Amino acid sequence: MAENHILCFAKREVRSLFTPETTPRLVYVSRTLPSDQAHHRILHAHQDLAEVLLICGGTGRYLVGETFYDVEAGDLLVYNSGVVHDEFSSEDNAVSSYCVGLAGLRLPGLRENALISDGAPALFRAGAEAEDLRLLYDMMYRCLLEDRAGCETLCHHLMLALLGRILQLTGDATRRSWPEAEPKALSRQIQVYIDSHFSEPLSLQDIGKALHISPYYLSHVFKEASGYSPMQYLLRRRIGEAQNLLISSSLPIARIAEQVGFETQNYFNLQFSKHVGMPPRKYRESFVGKRNIET
């Protein structure tokens, strides 16, 4: 049967979420293909921007804050600023994804650079909306990659369209308050302490003494909640922060090793290669020329 051609009218008055002073800025768009797993990002956080990740294919297990999520195609993950996250792609069905970084995000009732309430579930199933979201991500990515005149202006409007669709999916997660159970609250306290002191010499005993908890108990609570021992988390946190600095700065590798808490560059090189799959220098060189679109 032939489809009727009809007019679809806009029935409601447009009410913008943002004023000229509160409009967010698109910082980057990145794409990860199954062949790009060498660029896997270890445990890290962004203090001055939020990220939204769309899983386009494959499967994996992602840590956001203290919660693990099993992801598949069509899933959307929201990382508020300052929220630590880790990404694990399936070995036999590697993830492909798009990610946007947004700065200056100010939504009513939320802190700056937050897209959902702190503590809210970070995973959303896009369902039938996934293809529309993928097209918006892909248009922004290709536009910035080609670097034509006016691409930033076009991508700014595409970013606002993307945000509109995402906010329809997140619904009341942007407003609700999410209480924490006591063990999870304690695990969060341990995580916050490590995140605040990871660049310093830090032992299990140091953490226990600072938080007035026995090392054995804090290790048990943290492993139960996060899947890591505190020392595993500390190591991955340092490596993740080193990845940030290798990509976004021109600091010497020895200085980066020192800045994230490693006592020697040799030990840093060894642990970085073990967890990332390549030495720090090669990792940095693999991102040369991509910094305008990836992080």
Side-chain angles (χ1 to χ4, degrees):
M1 181 182 293
E3 185 175 307
N4 293 329
H5 294 277
I6 60 174
L7 294 174
C8 295
F9 289 93
K11 300 177 182 178
R12 300 173 183 86
E13 180 183 353
V14 175
R15 295 182 180 179
S16 177
L17 282 170
F18 307 107
T19 68
E21 293 76 26
T22 63
T23 300
R25 176 173 62 89
L26 177 66
V27 180
Y28 55 79
V29 184
S30 66
R31 182 181 67 177
T32 301
L33 299 176
S35 58
D36 294 333
Q37 294 311 306
H39 291 129
H40 160 70
R41 298 298 306 276
I42 303 267
L43 201 62
H44 67 288
H46 302 282
Q47 299 304 324
D48 55 354
L49 56 85
E51 288 184 319
V52 187
L53 185 79
L54 176 68
I55 306 296
C56 299
T59 58
R61 198 161 193 248
Y62 284 42
L63 175 70
V64 187
E66 309 89 39
T67 305
F68 279 100
Y69 299 96
D70 293 315
V71 303
E72 59 186 20
D75 287 347
L76 199 73
L77 287 159
V78 175
Y79 306 146
N80 285 347
S81 65
V83 173
V84 176
H85 47 283
D86 210 347
E87 304 166 359
F88 304 88
S89 186
S90 169
E91 291 186 4
D92 56 355
N93 190 18
V95 164
S96 59
S97 63
Y98 281 105
C99 182
V100 293
L102 307 169
L105 183 63
R106 299 178 183 89
L107 289 168
L110 298 175
R111 63 178 175 84
E112 185 171 359
N113 292 321
L115 196 60
I116 57 177
S117 296
D118 289 316
L123 175 69
F124 300 89
R125 310 287 186 187
E129 304 289 330
E131 180 59 16
D132 287 347
L133 294 172
R134 188 196 67 78
L135 288 171
L136 287 168
Y137 276 99
D138 187 62
M139 289 174 68
M140 289 189 291
Y141 179 82
R142 287 187 291 105
C143 186
L144 292 177
L145 188 65
E146 293 167 2
D147 198 23
R148 295 181 182 179
C151 67
E152 285 82 6
T153 300
L154 174 58
C155 285
H156 172 77
H157 292 291
L158 290 170
M159 176 267 294
L160 292 177
L162 178 68
L163 267 177
R165 298 307 290 268
I166 290 170
L167 289 170
Q168 287 177 331
L169 284 171
T170 57
D172 70 350
T174 62
R175 300 291 179 271
R176 285 179 56 188
S177 175
W178 300 82
E180 289 184 310
E182 185 175 345
K184 191 170 183 179
L186 178 55
S187 174
R188 174 64 177 161
Q189 187 181 4
I190 298 165
Q191 180 183 352
V192 167
Y193 186 83
I194 296 174
D195 288 339
S196 301
H197 298 273
F198 70 84
S199 62
E200 305 168 13
L202 203 59
S203 68
L204 198 61
Q205 288 71 27
D206 293 330
I207 302 169
K209 184 176 180 180
L211 299 179
H212 308 290
I213 310 168
S214 78
Y216 173 81
Y217 182 64
L218 79 83
S219 184
H220 171 75
V221 168
F222 193 76
K223 181 72 178 288
E224 191 75 17
S226 72
Y228 301 110
S229 73
M231 293 298 100
Q232 287 173 328
Y233 181 90
L234 173 63
L235 178 59
R236 292 183 70 83
R237 186 71 178 87
R238 286 171 170 170
I239 293 172
E241 185 60 27
Q243 286 180 302
N244 278 344
L245 292 171
L246 287 165
I247 295 168
S248 62
S249 79
S250 57
L251 287 172
I253 291 175
R255 177 69 182 121
I256 289 175
E258 178 186 359
Q259 192 164 314
V260 301
F262 286 92
E263 292 185 0
T264 69
Q265 184 179 343
N266 285 340
Y267 185 63
F268 168 63
N269 289 342
L270 177 67
Q271 292 299 325
F272 191 96
S273 298
K274 177 181 177 181
H275 286 81
V276 179
M278 64 177 73
R281 189 175 305 281
K282 185 176 179 181
Y283 182 81
R284 168 176 269 172
E285 290 171 353
S286 72
F287 277 90
V288 171
K290 298 182 181 182
R291 291 182 188 174
N292 63 323
I293 58 170
E294 296 192 31
T295 188

